[in-house]
């Protein structure tokens, strides 16, 4: 499909729908849920009730041939508030992980369970990072051993910084099945969070995105049926055999999920940056110093011009990467990583500059740019740090196996 910067009628309706929900529901509740540091279940229920949360909208967004649906939704929800929006969109990573690796039957069984219904809302969690293996998936220690006699997998290990950890109903877990093969010896499993041996003893207290629950999850000899292996045993055995022979294999499960999600994460960062920019712009029009609105000061107006330009640049990188992914184009220069790298940097910089424009007011919790700045920092860290994105890009453009 030919690329166009113009949004279709359906995409405009999605944008306006999500924006209205952010403006009317998310923003008025943002301070309270950030202060409480709890999953905003009533807002999730409201989102599910109007169709903004659930497997139906997930499938609708995935069917967009231009790939723009997810970035549009993410930008508008995160414009409302990053913590609440991450609670709404956190299940999507688990669902996409199932879709990326699972069979048709597994997708039909597990994806709806990641969301529940508008009457009984559920959430899912994608479990990949570990205390010693965040961006370095090759150092993953969680293991899955197959018990042929019972057709079960025995999973042991620890997952760290899990979004929706401790409150999720469905877990998608990355584990090592054949250590000698490195990342090619890993597989993904879907399971109920109440399976015996799974524990998430405490939630993490975070710098930002506080309305999104984050926790470490421990797996102590967890037994799951053979059907929990996403893609099935035959497909795994074939992939492992190819890897042992040194032949090319399908993409590592966690990285396949991250590649699908990075442009959307970039769009989340753009939403936060845009929110801070718009607030600072309005503030500068109203704030009077030495008898004149501060927006009339060149130092302020030029800074706002720079912020607006950087946000647009980040958004265009995000939209390009999403379009490339949806149309099956190769990320020859790691365009997906480029979009997340740029958007994360812009979010941190733009929110920090917004605080500067507000001066002392910006440093207080009475104004939302302080919260936006705290929220923005996560985009330099999760789903691949800033430095990991640089490494991925550098390897792509140089052809070298840089360390």
């Amino acid at each position: 499909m030919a690329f166009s910067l113009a949004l279709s009628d359906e995409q405009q309706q999605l944008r306006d729908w999500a924006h209205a929900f952010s403006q009317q529901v998310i923003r008025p509740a943002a301070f309270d849920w950030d202060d409480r540091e709890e999953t905003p279940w009533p807002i999730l229920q409201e989102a599910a009730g109007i169709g903004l949360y659930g497997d139906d909208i997930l499938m609708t967004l995935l069917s967009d041939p231009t790939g723009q649906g997810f970035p549009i939704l993410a930008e508008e929800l995160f414009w409302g508030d990053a913590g609440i929006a991450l609670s709404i969109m956190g299940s999507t990573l688990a669902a996409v992980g199932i879709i990326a690796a699972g069979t048709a039957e597994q997708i039909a069984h597990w994806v709806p369970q990641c969301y529940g219904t508008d009457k009984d809302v559920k959430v899912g969690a994608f479990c990949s990072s570990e205390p010693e293996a965040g961006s370095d998936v090759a150092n993953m220690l969680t293991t899955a051993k197959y018990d042929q006699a019972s057709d079960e997998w025995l999973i042991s290990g620890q997952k760290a910084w899990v979004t929706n950890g401790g409150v999720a109903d469905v877990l998608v877990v990355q584990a090592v099945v054949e250590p000698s093969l490195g990342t090619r010896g890993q597989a993904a499993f879907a399971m109920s969070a109440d399976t015996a041996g799974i524990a998430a003893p405490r939630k993490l207290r975070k710098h930002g995105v506080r309305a999104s629950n984050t926790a470490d999850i421990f797996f102590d000899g967890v037994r799951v049926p053979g059907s929990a292996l996403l893609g099935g045993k035959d497909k795994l055995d074939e992939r492992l055999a190819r890897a042992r022979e040194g032949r090319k294999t399908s993409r590592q499960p966690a990285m396949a999920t991250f590649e699908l999600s990075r442009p959307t994460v970039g769009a989340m960062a753009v939403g936060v940056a845009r929110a801070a920019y718009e607030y600072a712009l309005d503030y500068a029009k109203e704030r009077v110093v030495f008898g004149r609105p501060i927006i009339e000061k060149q130092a302020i107006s030029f800074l706002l011009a720079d912020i607006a330009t950087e946000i647009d640049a980040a958004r265009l990188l995000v939209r390009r990467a999403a379009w490339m992914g949806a149309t099956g184009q190769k990320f020859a220069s790691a365009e997906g990583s480029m979009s997340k790298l740029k958007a994360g940097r812009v979010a941190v910089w733009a929110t920090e500059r917004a605080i500067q424009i507000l001066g002392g007011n910006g440093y207080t919790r009475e104004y939302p740019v302080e919260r936006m700045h705290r929220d923005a920092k996560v985009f330099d860290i999760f789903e691949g740090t800033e430095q990991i994105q640089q490494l991925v890009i550098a390897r792509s453009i140089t052809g070298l196996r840089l360390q």
Side-chain angles (χ1 to χ4, degrees):
M1 174 172 288
F3 177 77
S4 173
L5 292 175
L7 300 182
S8 67
D9 290 343
E10 292 79 6
Q11 290 167 343
Q12 291 180 48
Q13 291 170 7
L14 172 65
R15 179 197 61 194
D16 296 345
W17 182 31
H19 185 82
F21 185 79
S22 284
Q23 190 171 49
Q24 297 166 15
V25 179
I26 293 179
R27 280 202 165 181
F31 178 87
D32 182 44
W33 288 104
D34 176 77
D35 195 49
R36 293 167 64 170
E37 298 191 46
E38 296 176 0
T39 299
W41 292 108
I43 296 179
L44 280 172
Q45 184 112 25
E46 195 161 349
I50 64 169
L52 262 178
Y53 181 82
D55 56 298
D56 285 344
I57 189 170
L58 171 69
M59 295 306 177
T60 298
L61 297 176
L62 285 172
S63 67
D64 184 340
T66 70
Q68 303 306 301
F70 275 116
I72 290 169
L73 178 65
E75 180 177 336
E76 295 305 327
L77 293 182
F78 279 73
W79 174 87
D81 175 70
I84 294 174
L86 190 58
S87 282
I88 293 173
M89 294 197 70
S91 297
T92 300
L93 189 59
V96 169
I98 295 167
I99 292 168
T103 65
E105 292 77 12
Q106 289 171 328
I107 292 169
H109 177 75
W110 286 109
V111 169
Q113 294 189 47
C114 289
Y115 298 97
T117 68
D118 60 339
K119 306 300 183 185
D120 185 20
V121 172
K122 306 292 185 183
V123 296
F126 186 75
C127 309
S128 178
S129 293
E130 299 183 2
E132 302 301 326
S135 299
D136 179 16
V137 294
N139 200 35
M140 190 178 294
L141 298 177
T142 297
T143 60
K145 298 179 180 179
Y146 184 60
D147 183 343
Q148 188 170 3
S150 62
D151 185 28
E152 291 179 318
W153 288 90
L154 185 66
I155 299 175
S156 298
Q158 177 185 353
K159 294 299 180 180
W161 314 299
V162 178
T163 298
N164 285 342
V167 297
D169 298 275
V170 174
L171 306 180
V172 177
V173 183
Q174 308 293 322
V176 178
V177 296
E178 191 158 330
S180 63
L181 296 178
T183 58
R184 297 199 295 175
Q186 297 174 4
F189 300 83
M191 64 196 71
S192 296
D194 61 1
T195 303
I198 297 176
R202 67 181 183 89
K203 71 177 181 182
L204 300 177
R205 303 291 297 276
K206 305 190 301 295
H207 177 65
V209 288
R210 293 177 177 176
S212 170
N213 211 84
T214 307
D216 289 358
I217 301 181
F218 297 84
F219 301 83
D220 184 11
V222 176
R223 286 188 171 272
V224 294
S227 59
L229 172 64
L230 293 178
K233 187 72 162 51
D234 291 344
K235 186 175 179 180
L236 173 65
D237 288 343
E238 180 183 348
R239 176 163 62 86
L240 294 178
R242 293 176 66 87
R244 294 187 200 102
E245 296 168 2
R247 292 186 291 159
K248 186 176 181 180
T249 62
S250 58
R251 202 177 306 276
Q252 193 269 352
M255 297 313 298
T257 302
F258 291 148
E259 282 198 13
L260 287 170
S261 64
R262 275 175 180 159
T264 298
V265 175
M268 297 174 183
V270 170
V272 176
R274 190 184 113 214
Y277 158 72
E278 291 178 0
Y279 195 92
L281 176 64
D282 290 342
Y283 181 90
K285 293 176 181 177
E286 298 172 0
R287 174 66 167 164
V288 175
V289 175
F290 299 119
R292 298 170 60 187
I294 62 173
I295 200 167
E296 295 182 16
K297 307 293 183 181
Q298 190 178 88
I300 299 297
S301 60
F302 277 20
L303 178 54
L304 287 164
D306 283 345
I307 297 173
T309 301
E310 289 297 302
I311 291 172
D312 266 9
R315 182 185 294 110
L316 288 170
L317 283 173
V318 164
R319 297 290 177 86
R320 178 186 69 169
W323 172 72
M324 291 177 68
T327 53
Q329 299 186 54
K330 183 180 179 182
F331 287 169
S333 298
E335 287 85 355
S337 289
M338 282 184 179
S339 69
K340 181 182 180 296
L341 173 66
K342 178 65 174 178
R345 286 175 169 174
V346 169
V348 174
W349 176 78
T351 54
E352 193 272 339
R353 291 293 87 194
I355 290 175
Q356 193 69 25
I357 290 171
L358 269 67
N361 286 334
Y363 198 66
T364 72
R365 299 191 68 190
E366 301 300 315
Y367 291 79
V369 292
E370 176 271 342
R371 184 182 69 252
M372 294 170 186
H373 184 52
R374 287 189 285 105
D375 292 342
K377 186 57 189 173
V378 76
F379 298 106
D380 270 345
I381 299 171
F382 78 165
E383 290 206 44
T385 64
E386 177 183 6
Q387 289 71 33
I388 285 295
Q389 308 308 326
Q390 289 176 302
L391 179 61
V392 172
I393 296 165
R395 286 175 173 176
S396 295
I397 65 176
T398 66
L400 300 175
R401 190 66 180 173
L402 301 171
Q403 299 294 328

